Amino acid sequence: MNIVISDDEELAREAMSSILLEICPDLQLFEARNGQELIDVVNRVKPEAAFVDIRMPVKSGLEAIQEAAPLSPNTQWIILTGFADFEYAKEALRLKAIDYLLKPVDIQAVQALITKIRQTTLLQIIENNKLFESDMLSLFHGLIRSWDERESDNKPFSRMRCQIIYMDSCYPEAEKSVSIKPFFTAISSTMPQYYHKDLELATILLPSGEWAVVGKYTTLQGAEMLEKLFCFYSELVKQAEEPGLAFSLVVSDECDSYTSLLDEVTTLHKIAYLRCSLGISRSWNKVDLFEVESQPAIAELCRTLIKAIDEYHKRHYVSYMNTIEQFIKIFDLQRDRISITTSLAIARFLNCSINAPMLTPTKEEDWFKSLRNLGEQLLDKKIKQAGTTPDLVTKTIIYIENHYTGDLTLGQVAEEFNVTPNHLSSLFHKRTGTTFMQYVTKLRMLKAKELLADPSVQVQQAAEQVGYFSSRHFTKLFKEIVGCYPSEYKKNLQMKKEAEGTT
């Protein structure tokens, strides 16, 4: 945590430094000898807190706070003075200082302040992360088309990276839903350990059903913290592998805007199928995937393989059999160009995805036979289960209607019905022609219009009643979908009622 001590007396600065370091040895302390130095240091460091003497040369402490506060909105200000002047106290409160300490300061009072500063800083980080997560959901689900207004608020140094989590499994949906819980619990429970004032984090479900971890950083320290988080998740996927379940990560390059991030993730998602020739339970980047794509034979093999697996999980017997024959044909024709490492990676991927036996270099024909036999078993399962599949999409829509006022997510609904988000996302989009989040947002906006028609309901109240904790985010979505701001909508309705009353 960064803290600035601003006082024109060197002994006073040293005394405060000693007190602070005695309370918390890991603090990063910066000093300023006058008001102008305080402004410069705050602008450079963006500290969590600043202890500021009132009477300093060049600019007083109060003048400096007034000028420095807009440069670092989250800095918490503590006034230091040897004068118990009520006017000073009033001015400090006007500038939103969190406390007013008389010299010589009491160590217990400072200790209580440090605790308060830490708690407030954590709350600020959590709030920023929630807002960022809302933005990322809107971005990737196409709820907001223009991000010019949001992006113009970014700091000069603002970059983003994303880590997409792909899951491959041969388990039935209910078993798969249970098996993925420990992994995603570990993801969510460890993320707070990487919270940083210069890093905003979000864990979201993409429209396709894959999870993504997104980070936006404004300093090199924030970038380093995000890299540490990504490295931890790379180790986590190795530990999470089971015989029929594995996670693989695809990491984006650095992006400088929301739109470039969206383009980057779209590109990665289009070529992520190539991971099956690289190896599961690993982390791959765009360069790794492009290297495979540059090999037409391997790329075609991967593309056909992914299609076969998709048809298998959809229980499309004919399509699976035709596609797996194409895969076998391509493999036979290109076997001289396929390395042993790639063959084993593909076999391992198949074993995890559809429970095909592991390939060994001397038993390829047996392997091909097993892949064909899986199709015949698929036909038997399809016959036995005909007419027994519950209408999951209808149940999901009913669930949305009953829970849209809360913190509703695709992952939450998938867990409720013991399926994976990927499966539910695919079914929902196929049936409704829209994504889960688009459907929820449209419903919320319809309900919001109904609430705003009541003159006694304020915009913030309407936002909360349809499931949004941030009125700013609600207003942005409302403007995008309805075509005007909520306040304008209320005003237009009122004018319409008044006009009808006069006729």
Side-chain angles (χ1 to χ4, degrees):
M1 187 165 69
N2 296 332
I3 290 181
V4 176
I5 302 167
S6 183
D7 199 305
D8 59 328
E9 296 181 7
E10 184 176 357
L11 288 176
R13 295 196 303 273
E14 289 177 356
M16 180 55 71
S17 295
S18 297
I19 291 173
L20 288 171
L21 290 175
E22 182 179 341
I23 294 169
C24 190
D26 64 342
L27 292 176
Q28 296 294 315
L29 301 182
F30 300 83
E31 294 186 3
R33 295 169 297 181
N34 57 60
Q36 186 57 54
E37 284 190 8
L38 172 62
I39 296 168
D40 295 340
V41 172
V42 167
N43 188 37
R44 186 179 79 253
V45 176
K46 304 294 189 294
E48 282 83 354
F51 289 81
V52 182
D53 186 27
I54 289 181
R55 295 193 175 185
M56 292 189 296
V58 186
K59 288 185 178 179
S60 73
L62 296 177
E63 290 172 334
I65 291 174
Q66 189 166 12
E67 191 171 334
L71 303 174
S72 183
N74 291 330
T75 296
Q76 300 169 69
W77 305 94
I78 301 96
I79 301 297
L80 296 173
T81 184
F83 304 91
D85 191 317
F86 181 64
E87 290 302 317
Y88 284 155
K90 284 200 303 183
E91 182 65 11
L93 291 173
R94 187 184 70 79
L95 294 174
K96 297 184 180 179
I98 65 169
D99 215 326
Y100 181 94
L101 298 179
L102 289 175
K103 296 180 181 179
V105 298
D106 178 66
I107 190 170
Q108 290 184 338
V110 177
Q111 190 167 19
L113 269 174
I114 292 297
T115 300
K116 182 178 179 181
I117 291 165
R118 285 191 182 280
Q119 290 173 343
T120 302
T121 298
L122 179 59
L123 290 174
Q124 289 171 345
I125 291 173
I126 292 172
E127 179 76 6
N128 290 339
N129 285 353
K130 288 176 68 177
L131 289 170
F132 181 60
E133 185 167 283
S134 296
D135 278 353
M136 290 299 97
L137 279 170
S138 296
L139 173 70
F140 286 109
H141 289 265
L143 304 178
I144 297 175
R145 290 184 291 272
S146 174
W147 289 95
D148 293 342
E149 177 186 337
R150 179 70 175 91
E151 291 182 338
S152 66
D153 293 336
N154 288 348
K155 300 174 184 178
F157 180 90
S158 181
R159 300 290 185 268
M160 285 163 283
R161 291 179 67 204
C162 179
Q163 195 175 54
I164 309 172
I165 304 169
Y166 289 91
M167 177 193 65
D168 299 292
S169 176
C170 62
Y171 295 155
E173 277 301 310
E175 186 178 348
K176 199 184 300 180
S177 176
V178 172
S179 297
I180 66 175
K181 284 182 183 179
F183 176 76
F184 287 108
T185 297
I187 290 279
S188 59
S189 63
T190 55
M191 185 171 285
Q193 299 174 25
Y194 295 85
Y195 280 172
H196 191 277
K197 68 183 182 69
D198 300 329
L199 173 64
E200 294 175 354
L201 294 170
T203 303
I204 62 169
L205 274 166
L206 300 174
S208 54
E210 280 80 25
W211 288 90
V213 178
V214 191
K216 182 175 77 171
Y217 42 92
T218 54
T219 64
L220 292 176
Q221 290 79 13
E224 290 170 0
M225 189 61 73
L226 180 62
E227 181 61 28
K228 289 179 181 178
L229 177 65
F230 282 177
C231 288
F232 173 77
Y233 290 160
S234 297
E235 290 300 314
L236 191 62
V237 297
K238 296 177 184 178
Q239 302 168 17
E241 184 177 350
E242 300 177 13
L245 174 72
F247 300 94
S248 301
L249 306 176
V250 177
V251 185
S252 77
D253 288 341
E254 189 176 69
C255 303
D256 60 4
S257 68
Y258 284 5
T259 49
S260 64
L261 176 66
L262 180 60
D263 292 341
E264 172 82 356
V265 171
T266 301
T267 299
L268 289 175
H269 193 55
K270 287 179 180 177
I271 59 175
Y273 70 92
L274 298 167
R275 71 189 184 279
C276 64
S277 67
L278 290 169
I280 54 179
S281 301
R282 298 281 301 278
S283 180
W284 305 105
N285 58 37
K286 190 162 63 175
V287 173
D288 299 320
L289 295 172
F290 278 167
E291 186 177 342
V292 178
E293 191 180 40
S294 68
Q295 305 171 57
I298 304 300
E300 185 181 11
L301 196 67
C302 292
R303 192 162 37 246
T304 308
L305 175 60
I306 290 293
K307 182 182 177 183
I309 290 172
D310 185 51
E311 298 297 344
Y312 178 86
H313 285 299
K314 290 178 179 176
R315 295 174 182 169
H316 294 167
Y317 167 73
V318 174
S319 295
Y320 168 78
M321 293 299 285
N322 287 337
T323 309
I324 211 66
E325 288 300 331
Q326 292 175 30
F327 169 77
I328 292 171
K329 182 179 179 181
I330 296 168
F331 194 98
D332 261 340
L333 290 173
Q334 304 293 341
R335 69 171 65 204
D336 292 338
R337 300 182 184 181
I338 302 172
S339 67
I340 295 297
T341 301
T342 300
S343 294
L344 290 173
I346 289 174
R348 187 166 169 234
F349 183 84
L350 270 168
N351 189 51
C352 177
S353 300
I354 57 176
N355 197 24
M358 289 297 288
L359 168 69
T360 60
T362 57
K363 296 183 180 180
E364 288 175 355
E365 292 305 321
D366 290 342
W367 184 51
F368 296 156
K369 183 178 179 181
S370 294
L371 291 174
R372 294 184 178 107
N373 287 340
L374 280 172
E376 299 305 326
Q377 295 170 20
L378 181 65
L379 183 59
D380 292 338
K381 292 178 183 177
K382 188 170 183 178
I383 293 171
K384 292 176 182 178
Q385 296 178 4
T388 63
T389 304
D391 191 347
L392 183 59
V393 175
T394 298
K395 292 196 295 184
T396 298
I397 290 173
I398 293 171
Y399 190 91
I400 292 171
E401 288 277 356
N402 293 330
H403 297 85
Y404 72 90
T405 58
D407 186 17
L408 186 63
T409 66
L410 176 63
Q412 173 190 333
V413 180
E415 185 174 341
E416 175 72 19
F417 295 125
N418 296 316
V419 296
T420 60
N422 312 64
H423 181 67
L424 180 57
S425 175
S426 177
L427 288 180
F428 194 89
H429 189 271
K430 184 177 180 180
R431 172 77 70 83
T432 65
T434 188
T435 70
F436 176 89
M437 280 307 303
Q438 288 170 343
Y439 186 94
V440 171
T441 303
K442 184 177 180 180
L443 173 64
R444 284 173 166 171
M445 292 305 115
L446 290 173
K447 299 290 186 180
K449 288 170 68 176
E450 184 178 9
L451 288 168
L452 292 170
D454 184 344
S456 66
V457 176
Q458 301 302 311
V459 172
Q460 176 67 38
Q461 293 174 314
E464 292 172 355
Q465 289 184 45
V466 296
Y468 295 100
F469 79 95
S470 167
S471 58
R472 186 191 72 181
H473 186 69
F474 166 73
T475 298
K476 184 79 173 176
L477 287 173
F478 193 93
K479 173 69 164 57
E480 185 78 21
I481 294 170
V482 180
C484 64
Y485 292 107
S487 55
E488 292 180 292
Y489 182 78
K490 284 183 68 70
K491 184 178 179 180
N492 291 339
L493 282 179
Q494 186 62 32
M495 289 173 61
K496 183 177 179 181
K497 289 179 181 179
E498 291 175 355
E500 291 173 350
T502 59
T503 58

